[in-house]
Amino acid sequence: MTAAGKHQVSRSSGRRLGRAGIRDVAAAAGVSITTVSDALNGKGRLPDATRRHVREVADRLGYRPSAAARTLRTGKSGLIGLTVTTYGEEPFTFTEFAYFADMVRAATSTALARGYALVILPAPARQRTVDVWSNVALDGTVVIDPADHDPVVTELVQQGIPVVSDGRPADSLPVTAWVDNDHEAAVTHLLDHLAESGARRIGLLTGTSTDTYTRLSTTAYLRWCERVGQDPVYEAYPAHDPRQGAVAADRLLARPDRPDAVYGLFDPNGTDLLAAARRYGLRVPEDLLLVCCSESTVYAATEPPITTLSLKPGRIGTTVVQLLIDAIEGEDSGPFAEAGDSATTGDPRQQIMPTDLIVRTSSQRRTRRTTVSAPRAPSGDD
Amino acid sequence: MTAAGKHQVSRSSGRRLGRAGIRDVAAAAGVSITTVSDALNGKGRLPDATRRHVREVADRLGYRPSAAARTLRTGKSGLIGLTVTTYGEEPFTFTEFAYFADMVRAATSTALARGYALVILPAPARQRTVDVWSNVALDGTVVIDPADHDPVVTELVQQGIPVVSDGRPADSLPVTAWVDNDHEAAVTHLLDHLAESGARRIGLLTGTSTDTYTRLSTTAYLRWCERVGQDPVYEAYPAHDPRQGAVAADRLLARPDRPDAVYGLFDPNGTDLLAAARRYGLRVPEDLLLVCCSESTVYAATEPPITTLSLKPGRIGTTVVQLLIDAIEGEDSGPFAEAGDSATTGDPRQQIMPTDLIVRTSSQRRTRRTTVSAPRAPSGDD
DNA sequence: GTGAAAGCGCTAACAA
DNA sequence: TTGTTAGCGCTTTCAC
């Protein structure tokens, strides 16, 4: 007495509350649900007529496939997690700097272009956050600037979910791949540029946190100083607090061994330093050369325009997502390929992206004040 | 001869590929899957000992519940969509302005605090984007600045998915609720402030797009002009193109009826106008009063510091998400409560948020140059 | 070419 | 108190 056979029929006649289901479409189109599924997904070898017919009916009924059901069945959600480390008390502050904004925009565009959506997730700081993580089915995750022993990364990788990081991870972190700038090269190049512009003593405005960016940049600075035989002159401050930047800039220029050029590691440092210079009556670039790392366009319009180091976050965002999706779709060797399971898990792929030094007035010693008083040049960039 | 009974058992003994399932936990803990589910979700009335035991086993097995299955079963995904209108060619540019950055950060934090995650989705511009939309199960959606006849919004609402917008929608758009600033009041107040500071002819730098913000602000300006009997002096430009701002600012100050005060509707307009003023040899605020709408902190450090109108995007983001989640959880009257169904569906809720005029040097006529550099003596009246 | 049936992993009635 | 069972809506072999 196999009652099983009746299931589909009886279900089909049941009241659909809101949305139409695949069964309703099948019934209305006079075909089976298999045909509907195939027609809508372009699978199988149905005659075009059937395909068209089914699509019409589906449209008429306002049929929307259930993402949840599809995900459950296929194991793919089309969702990519995006997370950032915590700065200070804020859950995360990735939008605080133009860098993250740009990076996220590019990442989102790339993901969408490949049929994925980004889910913003919190860094694993408190307890709560874990809940959210396990409440969403992720095909993969982008981690921005992962902490040295990020538990979420470890667990995701253990579960076989690809993780790609923006910023090179600590050795202990087994990410699938990572993308980063060559921070050492960038800083070195920039310091050389300042030296060429006549800087004798270059100062650094850096951060107190231990993230890779800060660490690598600072190290590169120290190494450069050593190489050229200059005493390091730097001030560090908690970069997550925007107010502290101004204070630190002030400290730096108040020092007895005041630098005649400064590189600021963080986005707002340009204005911080410019304001500090004004307070001390220092002219830029005559008395003080300035460079800061920023993606903001405001530095093209400051007085004077400030030279910036761009990390090209857009390119990083794009690359990170490409790598991730490649990993997701690549390792999809089918649910039955458990033979040579963890065999091909080699070293994580890593990609170094170029930076871009945008030279403006603030870092050019021998300048004829090409700032703004000049007649007209709306395009601006000098 | 019910063979059905054997399914669970046989399934349970089947090879679990990667992750442990609820059945494995049940088997390992020596209980049924119901008990596991209840224990892990805090439901049912199990003795604490059982609950603890199950949790331990689950932990030991590294059990993670399947979000997809939960979603399919419960109909709730814990996911909230976040979308923005398209600017120009970019899929979306919400990160381009500090406004969106702040708004999104606050929205994300609020959502996470209530156990939801945000999914970034494209505005329904091209065909492709629709795919992504229907590939993710959303409990609700936040729409930033919805287009007048946004098809996605209409469809979502039709499907019974709550939609809350940042920015008031056109009458035809049936959103669940919306949050917006009182743009008219803000602009009026700001113009009054400029007039009080001595402005005789206030100009406007506005946009060519037809979004609500631009429209309301411009209207308020025109109405104000009418009230005080001033001829409107404004230039409009495509706000999505950052370069155009500088050009438009230039145009505005080049006019024969040059204004002696300007309000710029968009974030970069402050620097745009400042640069233009410099080009024309206009001193700020002596010859030209300046205000722009911006969330950026750079205007505290420009020379001179520029008065800004803050829309308090953080508060808007928080409110939007609160409203949305309230709607999601409120209308969850259970799948069987179809009796008084659409009864309580009243008018969409709407919330007006205050703005904040941050007065700095650029809009104060009688100032003793409180900026930084000039040691100029306080010279009383203008 | 088309359809029936078997679940994906979980939750919630309902039994025991 | 705990276990059994019926699906959530879809994709996908495998028969026909």
Side-chain angles (χ1 to χ4, degrees):
Chain A
M1 152 70 198
T2 44
K6 293 208 166 168
H7 281 319
Q8 271 202 351
V9 177
S10 59
R11 258 291 289 101
S12 165
S13 65
R15 275 238 148 280
R16 299 246 95 286
L17 296 182
R19 304 164 43 169
I22 197 173
R23 288 176 178 79
D24 304 274
V25 178
V31 296
S32 78
I33 59 173
T34 308
T35 305
V36 174
S37 178
D38 284 350
L40 263 33
N41 295 326
K43 306 225 166 150
R45 300 175 309 288
L46 314 177
D48 269 12
T50 310
R51 221 178 274 281
R52 225 180 350 259
H53 175 58
V54 169
R55 288 201 186 158
E56 259 163 35
V57 174
D59 268 9
R60 185 156 49 72
L61 265 48
Y63 168 72
R64 292 281 155 225
S66 150
R70 194 212 288 309
T71 300
L72 179 58
R73 186 61 235 248
T74 63
K76 257 78 187 76
S77 66
L79 257 26
I80 290 177
L82 176 74
T83 187
V84 215
T85 44
T86 308
Y87 285 111
E89 278 307 299
E90 275 293 309
F92 62 100
T93 43
F94 74 74
T95 48
E96 195 158 310
F97 304 120
Y99 175 91
F100 292 120
D102 249 35
M103 189 272 176
V104 170
R105 184 177 73 221
T108 307
S109 300
T110 307
L112 292 173
R114 294 191 61 172
Y116 290 76
L118 252 45
V119 184
I120 306 178
L121 291 169
R126 307 283 174 276
Q127 303 288 60
R128 297 276 134 182
T129 64
V130 178
D131 293 326
V132 181
W133 273 93
S134 57
N135 259 333
V136 40
L138 258 26
D139 288 348
T141 300
V142 171
V143 184
I144 299 180
D145 232 340
D148 284 1
H149 298 292
D150 194 319
V152 166
V153 171
T154 310
E155 190 185 312
L156 287 174
V157 171
Q158 245 165 17
Q159 284 176 28
I161 297 174
V163 175
V164 178
S165 74
D166 169 6
R168 67 201 79 188
D171 293 337
S172 51
L173 257 199
V175 299
T176 312
W178 57 259
V179 182
D180 203 352
N181 298 110
D182 191 347
H183 293 298
E184 285 107 327
V187 170
T188 305
H189 171 238
L190 167 171
L191 295 172
D192 284 342
H193 162 72
L194 284 173
E196 273 167 30
S197 292
R200 300 303 189 87
R201 179 158 51 223
I202 306 179
L204 184 75
L205 206 48
T206 181
T208 47
S209 55
T210 61
D211 59 294
T212 322
Y213 167 67
T214 305
R215 199 170 56 230
L216 289 180
S217 302
T218 307
T219 307
Y221 167 77
L222 295 174
R223 216 174 279 149
W224 185 89
C225 285
E226 200 172 335
R227 203 188 75 208
V228 304
Q230 184 213 297
D231 284 336
V233 189
Y234 63 92
E235 293 287 341
Y237 75 99
H240 56 84
D241 182 352
R243 295 155 191 257
Q244 296 295 313
V247 178
D250 229 273
R251 274 208 314 268
L252 189 57
L253 297 189
R255 292 174 61 130
D257 55 343
R258 171 152 71 203
D260 61 353
V262 177
Y263 172 48
L265 278 191
F266 303 103
D267 201 296
N269 290 165
T271 41
D272 292 340
L273 287 162
L274 207 51
R278 263 189 242 120
R279 280 194 285 277
Y280 288 99
L282 299 172
R283 294 164 306 164
V284 175
E286 289 81 357
D287 307 317
L288 184 69
L289 299 173
L290 239 47
V291 177
C292 73
C293 183
S294 167
E295 312 305 327
S296 173
T297 55
V298 305
Y299 291 119
T302 47
E303 168 66 22
I306 295 181
T307 296
T308 54
L309 175 70
S310 168
L311 303 178
K312 296 286 173 186
R315 286 209 292 238
I316 293 192
T318 299
T319 309
V320 161
V321 169
Q322 295 287 19
L323 246 36
L324 181 59
I325 296 180
D326 287 348
I328 290 170
E329 298 182 346
E331 84 182 11
D332 184 35
S333 12
F336 293 93
E338 33 181 343
D341 204 318
S342 58
T344 38
T345 312
D347 294 75
R349 282 206 280 167
Q350 47 199 66
Q351 204 130 341
I352 301 286
M353 308 296 288
T355 56
D356 206 354
L357 188 66
I358 303 167
V359 177
R360 301 201 184 92
T361 312
S362 75
S363 69
Q364 296 177 305
R365 178 77 86 193
R366 55 196 112 232
T367 179
R368 354 139 238 171
R369 303 270 302 166
T370 61
T371 51
V372 240
S373 18
R376 56 198 59 222
S379 46
D381 256 358
D382 151 317
Chain B
M1 170 345 264
T2 44
K6 291 206 166 169
H7 280 319
Q8 271 204 348
V9 177
S10 58
R11 260 290 289 100
S12 164
S13 65
R15 277 238 147 281
R16 297 246 95 288
L17 298 180
R19 304 164 43 170
I22 197 173
R23 290 177 177 78
D24 304 273
V25 178
V31 296
S32 79
I33 60 171
T34 307
T35 305
V36 174
S37 178
D38 285 351
L40 262 34
N41 296 325
K43 306 224 167 154
R45 298 175 310 288
L46 315 177
D48 270 13
T50 311
R51 220 177 274 279
R52 225 179 352 257
H53 175 58
V54 170
R55 288 202 186 156
E56 259 163 34
V57 173
D59 269 10
R60 184 156 49 73
L61 263 51
Y63 167 72
R64 291 281 153 227
S66 150
R70 195 212 290 303
T71 299
L72 180 58
R73 186 61 236 245
T74 63
K76 258 76 188 76
S77 66
L79 257 28
I80 290 176
L82 176 74
T83 187
V84 214
T85 44
T86 308
Y87 285 110
E89 279 307 297
E90 275 292 310
F92 61 101
T93 45
F94 73 75
T95 48
E96 196 158 310
F97 304 120
Y99 175 92
F100 292 121
D102 249 35
M103 190 272 177
V104 170
R105 184 177 74 221
T108 307
S109 300
T110 307
L112 292 173
R114 294 191 61 172
Y116 289 77
L118 251 46
V119 183
I120 305 177
L121 291 169
R126 308 281 174 277
Q127 303 289 60
R128 297 276 134 181
T129 64
V130 179
D131 293 326
V132 180
W133 273 93
S134 58
N135 258 334
V136 41
L138 257 26
D139 288 349
T141 299
V142 171
V143 184
I144 299 181
D145 234 337
D148 284 1
H149 298 290
D150 194 319
V152 167
V153 171
T154 310
E155 190 185 312
L156 288 174
V157 170
Q158 244 165 20
Q159 283 176 28
I161 297 175
V163 175
V164 178
S165 74
D166 169 6
R168 67 201 81 189
D171 293 338
S172 51
L173 258 199
V175 299
T176 311
W178 57 259
V179 181
D180 202 352
N181 298 110
D182 191 346
H183 293 298
E184 286 107 327
V187 170
T188 305
H189 172 236
L190 168 171
L191 295 173
D192 284 342
H193 163 71
L194 285 173
E196 272 168 31
S197 293
R200 299 303 189 87
R201 180 159 50 222
I202 306 179
L204 184 75
L205 205 50
T206 180
T208 48
S209 56
T210 61
D211 60 293
T212 322
Y213 167 66
T214 306
R215 198 170 56 231
L216 289 180
S217 301
T218 307
T219 307
Y221 167 77
L222 295 175
R223 214 173 281 149
W224 185 89
C225 285
E226 199 173 334
R227 203 187 73 206
V228 304
Q230 184 212 295
D231 283 339
V233 188
Y234 63 92
E235 292 287 340
Y237 75 98
H240 56 83
D241 182 352
R243 293 160 191 255
Q244 295 297 313
V247 178
D250 229 90
R251 275 207 315 268
L252 189 57
L253 297 188
R255 293 174 62 128
D257 55 343
R258 170 150 72 203
D260 61 353
V262 177
Y263 172 49
L265 279 191
F266 303 104
D267 201 297
N269 289 165
T271 42
D272 292 339
L273 287 163
L274 207 51
R278 266 190 239 120
R279 281 195 284 275
Y280 288 99
L282 300 172
R283 294 163 306 163
V284 175
E286 289 81 356
D287 307 317
L288 184 70
L289 298 173
L290 238 49
V291 177
C292 74
C293 183
S294 167
E295 311 306 326
S296 172
T297 54
V298 305
Y299 291 120
T302 49
E303 169 65 21
I306 294 182
T307 297
T308 54
L309 175 70
S310 167
L311 303 178
K312 296 289 175 182
R315 286 208 292 236
I316 292 191
T318 300
T319 309
V320 162
V321 170
Q322 295 287 19
L323 245 36
L324 181 59
I325 296 180
D326 287 348
I328 290 169
E329 298 183 345
E331 86 183 10
D332 183 35
S333 15
F336 292 91
E338 30 182 345
D341 203 316
S342 57
T344 38
T345 312
D347 293 76
R349 280 205 280 167
Q350 46 197 68
Q351 204 130 340
I352 303 285
M353 308 295 287
T355 57
D356 207 354
L357 188 66
I358 303 168
V359 178
R360 301 201 183 92
T361 311
S362 75
S363 70
Q364 297 177 302
R365 180 77 87 192
R366 59 195 107 228
T367 180
R368 347 144 248 168
R369 302 270 300 165
T370 59
T371 51
V372 240
S373 50
R376 191 182 291 257
S379 61
D381 307 83
D382 62 330

